[in-house]
Amino acid sequence: MKGCKHYEDLFVDGLYDELTEEERKSLQTHLENCPQCASIYRQMSESLQVMNKRQQPEMGDEYWDSYWVNLQDRMNQDPTPTPKSSLGRIHQFLLSLRSKWVLIPVAATLLLVVGIYLGRTFFSPNSPTPAVMLAANEPTADQSVQSALSQHLQDMRPMLVECSNISSQQLNEENNDVVAIDRATLKKLVVQNYLLKKMVSENGDPTLKKMLNELELILTLMSNRNGNSQQDLLSIKDIIKNQDLLFKTRIYSQKPLSKRI
Amino acid sequence: MIQQTAHRDTIKFKEIVETYKKKVFYLAYDLTGHVEDAEDLSQEVFVKAYRGLKNFKGGAAIGSWLYRITFNAFIDQKRKKSVRPEGQPQERNERALDLVSTPEDQASANPEIFTESKQIQSHINEALDELSPRERAVFILKHYEGHKIKDISKILSISEGTIKSLLFRAIRKLQEKLAFYRPEQKEEAVQ
């Protein structure tokens, strides 16, 4: 025996005659045996009959004849929507992705990296005291990016210097890993570089973007090195030299805040 | 070439407007309950339709597409108006009711019947104003436009189960607001 809730779900279909023959008979039988449901059903039906008395306004021919002209006026008044700003587009993109489960680990990783970065920047033994920090001006978003960039380039430089100083003799020595860098540091540099690339706006400094791309390539080569493969080190050395990366990283790590980022 | 395409688009669009202007306007009227708002909403629908014409694949019927735009524009309008003061509903309903009958109708009809009819219209509009935008849209599409539940589900991209729940809630609210029109209530009032 089905309960009243089951039949209540059929009321709307019943009132608008959208039940199958079987459902209709079943509902009818229930209404005959359940005075409470029968009363609700009847009241709903009567309310719909009252709603049938509703009238719509008569708009004259004049109104319809001028409809197109009025609409054209409105279209001329309504400006075409302007393209969204970069921030708006990013926001829309993030909204479109919000239901994707893949964002959860990405968001968690980002949070972790930001936490590590903040911890290293503000709570390292050499960091300024809270009083000094309070005395300083509040950093803006651009200042934060600049500060993160300087930190990243300073972190990168030892490895770049080491790679660029490799001599041919060192490269010929077997089983001698001339550039020793642990995987955790490498991973951190990869993530930092990736985030900075994202932070640099689309219309930002092309040289900076190019430099970050070159650094990314170097980090990828370093990460994918097989054992003590010295061939990759040679490639890295060439990139550093050809792209003037030592010079560029020094300039950008000292560069004052500008609108380039 | 571009001008020719634009001209072709305008001609095609004008045909759509001429075919659907009454349907969209009256749907907008049923949703908003006010002539001025219906005029505004229906025009907004066509403006949006014109901008989206290039993206309209033609897979769905133009009518259903316009209904969906109307529904979304109505929800947007409601959201904006919830933070904007407007005239009293009673006063606005009365203004709308003046357009339901022409002055000739009013003069020729029995004044008592006319007053009663006007009162019923006012009560019905007030009852509809009690519904949430989604309940109202679903109710209008079902009760006045006569669409099947599965078609409403497609037009509004809402599941059939939700459509039925919204309809059930809408009718129950209307029933509560219009209780005094039910036969047994009337009899009680007479006694």
Side-chain angles (χ1 to χ4, degrees), chain A residues 158-187:
Chain A
M159 187 185 76
L160 297 177
V161 171
E162 259 188 278
C163 287
S164 64
N165 288 339
I166 298 168
S167 65
S168 310
Q169 194 188 344
Q170 279 176 305
L171 284 173
N172 292 331
E173 284 172 19
E174 279 183 17
N175 299 323
N176 180 18
D177 197 0
V178 285
V179 181
I181 180 164
D182 66 276
R183 294 207 72 79
T185 310
L186 201 54
K187 209 180 262 182

Short mmCIF file of all heavy atoms in Angstrom, two decimals, chain A residues 158-187:
data_model
loop_
_atom_site.label_atom_id
_atom_site.label_comp_id
_atom_site.label_asym_id
_atom_site.label_seq_id
_atom_site.Cartn_x
_atom_site.Cartn_y
_atom_site.Cartn_z
N PRO A 158 72.03 30.63 -7.75
CA PRO A 158 73.14 29.72 -7.47
C PRO A 158 73.24 28.59 -8.50
O PRO A 158 74.32 28.26 -8.98
CB PRO A 158 72.82 29.18 -6.09
CG PRO A 158 71.91 30.19 -5.48
CD PRO A 158 71.15 30.80 -6.59
N MET A 159 72.06 28.04 -8.86
CA MET A 159 72.07 26.94 -9.82
C MET A 159 72.53 27.43 -11.20
O MET A 159 73.32 26.77 -11.88
CB MET A 159 70.66 26.34 -9.93
CG MET A 159 70.60 25.11 -10.78
SD MET A 159 68.93 24.54 -10.99
CE MET A 159 68.33 25.70 -12.17
N LEU A 160 72.05 28.61 -11.59
CA LEU A 160 72.43 29.15 -12.89
C LEU A 160 73.93 29.45 -12.95
O LEU A 160 74.59 29.16 -13.95
CB LEU A 160 71.63 30.44 -13.18
CG LEU A 160 70.11 30.30 -13.30
CD1 LEU A 160 69.46 31.66 -13.50
CD2 LEU A 160 69.74 29.38 -14.46
N VAL A 161 74.42 30.02 -11.84
CA VAL A 161 75.85 30.35 -11.79
C VAL A 161 76.68 29.07 -11.90
O VAL A 161 77.64 28.99 -12.68
CB VAL A 161 76.19 31.12 -10.49
CG1 VAL A 161 77.70 31.30 -10.31
CG2 VAL A 161 75.51 32.49 -10.49
N GLU A 162 76.27 28.07 -11.13
CA GLU A 162 76.99 26.79 -11.15
C GLU A 162 77.01 26.19 -12.56
O GLU A 162 78.06 25.75 -13.04
CB GLU A 162 76.32 25.80 -10.19
CG GLU A 162 77.06 25.69 -8.86
CD GLU A 162 76.49 24.58 -8.03
OE1 GLU A 162 75.47 24.83 -7.37
OE2 GLU A 162 77.05 23.47 -8.07
N CYS A 163 75.85 26.21 -13.20
CA CYS A 163 75.75 25.62 -14.55
C CYS A 163 76.61 26.40 -15.54
O CYS A 163 77.26 25.81 -16.41
CB CYS A 163 74.30 25.64 -15.03
SG CYS A 163 73.28 24.45 -14.19
N SER A 164 76.58 27.72 -15.43
CA SER A 164 77.33 28.51 -16.41
C SER A 164 78.84 28.41 -16.19
O SER A 164 79.62 28.69 -17.10
CB SER A 164 76.88 29.97 -16.38
OG SER A 164 77.20 30.51 -15.13
N ASN A 165 79.27 28.01 -14.97
CA ASN A 165 80.71 27.91 -14.68
C ASN A 165 81.30 26.52 -14.94
O ASN A 165 82.48 26.29 -14.68
CB ASN A 165 80.99 28.29 -13.22
CG ASN A 165 80.81 29.79 -13.02
OD1 ASN A 165 80.87 30.56 -13.98
ND2 ASN A 165 80.56 30.20 -11.78
N ILE A 166 80.47 25.63 -15.42
CA ILE A 166 80.98 24.28 -15.67
C ILE A 166 82.04 24.33 -16.77
O ILE A 166 81.80 24.93 -17.83
CB ILE A 166 79.84 23.33 -16.12
CG1 ILE A 166 78.78 23.21 -15.03
CG2 ILE A 166 80.38 21.95 -16.45
CD1 ILE A 166 77.52 22.54 -15.51
N SER A 167 83.15 23.70 -16.50
CA SER A 167 84.20 23.69 -17.52
C SER A 167 84.10 22.39 -18.33
O SER A 167 83.48 21.42 -17.89
CB SER A 167 85.57 23.77 -16.84
OG SER A 167 85.76 22.61 -16.07
N SER A 168 84.71 22.39 -19.49
CA SER A 168 84.69 21.21 -20.36
C SER A 168 85.33 20.03 -19.65
O SER A 168 84.89 18.88 -19.77
CB SER A 168 85.46 21.49 -21.64
OG SER A 168 85.02 22.68 -22.19
N GLN A 169 86.35 20.33 -18.86
CA GLN A 169 87.05 19.27 -18.14
C GLN A 169 86.12 18.59 -17.14
O GLN A 169 86.05 17.37 -17.06
CB GLN A 169 88.25 19.88 -17.40
CG GLN A 169 89.23 18.83 -16.90
CD GLN A 169 90.29 19.45 -16.01
OE1 GLN A 169 90.48 20.67 -15.99
NE2 GLN A 169 90.98 18.62 -15.29
N GLN A 170 85.38 19.42 -16.42
CA GLN A 170 84.43 18.86 -15.44
C GLN A 170 83.40 17.97 -16.14
O GLN A 170 83.04 16.93 -15.64
CB GLN A 170 83.70 20.00 -14.72
CG GLN A 170 84.50 20.62 -13.59
CD GLN A 170 83.76 21.80 -12.99
OE1 GLN A 170 83.39 22.74 -13.71
NE2 GLN A 170 83.51 21.76 -11.70
N LEU A 171 82.97 18.43 -17.32
CA LEU A 171 81.95 17.67 -18.04
C LEU A 171 82.47 16.32 -18.51
O LEU A 171 81.71 15.37 -18.64
CB LEU A 171 81.43 18.47 -19.24
CG LEU A 171 80.47 19.61 -18.92
CD1 LEU A 171 80.17 20.44 -20.15
CD2 LEU A 171 79.17 19.08 -18.31
N ASN A 172 83.75 16.25 -18.78
CA ASN A 172 84.33 15.01 -19.26
C ASN A 172 84.59 14.00 -18.14
O ASN A 172 84.80 12.83 -18.40
CB ASN A 172 85.62 15.28 -20.03
CG ASN A 172 85.31 15.99 -21.33
OD1 ASN A 172 84.23 15.81 -21.89
ND2 ASN A 172 86.22 16.83 -21.78
N GLU A 173 84.58 14.50 -16.92
CA GLU A 173 84.84 13.60 -15.79
C GLU A 173 83.60 12.74 -15.54
O GLU A 173 82.50 13.27 -15.35
CB GLU A 173 85.16 14.40 -14.53
CG GLU A 173 86.56 14.96 -14.52
CD GLU A 173 86.78 15.91 -13.36
OE1 GLU A 173 86.00 15.84 -12.40
OE2 GLU A 173 87.71 16.73 -13.43
N GLU A 174 83.79 11.44 -15.60
CA GLU A 174 82.66 10.53 -15.41
C GLU A 174 82.25 10.45 -13.95
O GLU A 174 83.05 10.62 -13.04
CB GLU A 174 83.04 9.15 -15.92
CG GLU A 174 82.90 9.04 -17.41
CD GLU A 174 83.19 7.65 -17.90
OE1 GLU A 174 83.19 6.72 -17.08
OE2 GLU A 174 83.45 7.53 -19.10
N ASN A 175 80.93 10.14 -13.75
CA ASN A 175 80.37 9.98 -12.40
C ASN A 175 80.65 11.16 -11.48
O ASN A 175 80.84 11.03 -10.29
CB ASN A 175 80.89 8.71 -11.73
CG ASN A 175 80.50 7.49 -12.51
OD1 ASN A 175 79.40 7.43 -13.07
ND2 ASN A 175 81.42 6.55 -12.60
N ASN A 176 80.71 12.32 -12.06
CA ASN A 176 80.93 13.50 -11.23
C ASN A 176 79.78 14.47 -11.49
O ASN A 176 79.75 15.15 -12.50
CB ASN A 176 82.27 14.13 -11.58
CG ASN A 176 82.53 15.37 -10.73
OD1 ASN A 176 81.89 15.54 -9.70
ND2 ASN A 176 83.46 16.19 -11.17
N ASP A 177 78.86 14.49 -10.57
CA ASP A 177 77.71 15.37 -10.75
C ASP A 177 78.12 16.78 -10.34
O ASP A 177 78.19 17.11 -9.17
CB ASP A 177 76.52 14.90 -9.90
CG ASP A 177 75.23 15.53 -10.37
OD1 ASP A 177 75.25 16.31 -11.34
OD2 ASP A 177 74.20 15.24 -9.77
N VAL A 178 78.43 17.56 -11.34
CA VAL A 178 79.00 18.88 -11.06
C VAL A 178 77.99 19.87 -10.50
O VAL A 178 78.36 20.82 -9.83
CB VAL A 178 79.69 19.46 -12.31
CG1 VAL A 178 81.00 18.78 -12.57
CG2 VAL A 178 78.75 19.39 -13.50
N VAL A 179 76.71 19.67 -10.83
CA VAL A 179 75.68 20.55 -10.27
C VAL A 179 74.77 19.70 -9.39
O VAL A 179 73.95 18.95 -9.88
CB VAL A 179 74.86 21.25 -11.38
CG1 VAL A 179 73.82 22.17 -10.77
CG2 VAL A 179 75.77 22.02 -12.30
N ALA A 180 74.99 19.82 -8.10
CA ALA A 180 74.19 19.00 -7.17
C ALA A 180 73.03 19.84 -6.66
O ALA A 180 73.23 20.89 -6.07
CB ALA A 180 75.07 18.54 -6.02
N ILE A 181 71.86 19.36 -6.92
CA ILE A 181 70.68 20.07 -6.41
C ILE A 181 69.64 19.02 -6.00
O ILE A 181 69.36 18.09 -6.77
CB ILE A 181 70.13 21.08 -7.46
CG1 ILE A 181 68.90 21.81 -6.91
CG2 ILE A 181 69.80 20.43 -8.79
CD1 ILE A 181 68.55 23.06 -7.70
N ASP A 182 69.12 19.15 -4.78
CA ASP A 182 68.18 18.11 -4.34
C ASP A 182 66.80 18.31 -4.97
O ASP A 182 66.43 19.42 -5.37
CB ASP A 182 68.09 18.08 -2.81
CG ASP A 182 67.47 19.32 -2.26
OD1 ASP A 182 68.20 20.31 -2.08
OD2 ASP A 182 66.24 19.32 -2.06
N ARG A 183 66.08 17.20 -5.06
CA ARG A 183 64.81 17.20 -5.81
C ARG A 183 63.76 18.11 -5.18
O ARG A 183 62.95 18.72 -5.88
CB ARG A 183 64.27 15.76 -5.94
CG ARG A 183 65.17 14.89 -6.79
CD ARG A 183 64.40 13.78 -7.45
NE ARG A 183 63.53 14.21 -8.54
CZ ARG A 183 63.97 14.48 -9.77
NH1 ARG A 183 65.24 14.40 -10.07
NH2 ARG A 183 63.12 14.85 -10.70
N ALA A 184 63.77 18.21 -3.84
CA ALA A 184 62.77 19.04 -3.16
C ALA A 184 62.94 20.51 -3.57
O ALA A 184 61.96 21.21 -3.87
CB ALA A 184 62.89 18.88 -1.65
N THR A 185 64.22 20.95 -3.59
CA THR A 185 64.49 22.35 -3.98
C THR A 185 64.08 22.57 -5.43
O THR A 185 63.46 23.59 -5.77
CB THR A 185 65.99 22.67 -3.82
OG1 THR A 185 66.40 22.26 -2.52
CG2 THR A 185 66.28 24.15 -4.00
N LEU A 186 64.39 21.59 -6.26
CA LEU A 186 64.05 21.69 -7.68
C LEU A 186 62.53 21.80 -7.87
O LEU A 186 62.04 22.62 -8.64
CB LEU A 186 64.59 20.44 -8.39
CG LEU A 186 64.80 20.54 -9.90
CD1 LEU A 186 65.67 21.72 -10.26
CD2 LEU A 186 65.43 19.25 -10.41
N LYS A 187 61.83 20.98 -7.12
CA LYS A 187 60.36 20.97 -7.21
C LYS A 187 59.81 22.34 -6.79
O LYS A 187 58.91 22.90 -7.42
CB LYS A 187 59.81 19.88 -6.28
CG LYS A 187 58.48 19.31 -6.76
CD LYS A 187 57.99 18.25 -5.84
CE LYS A 187 58.29 16.86 -6.30
NZ LYS A 187 57.77 15.82 -5.40
#
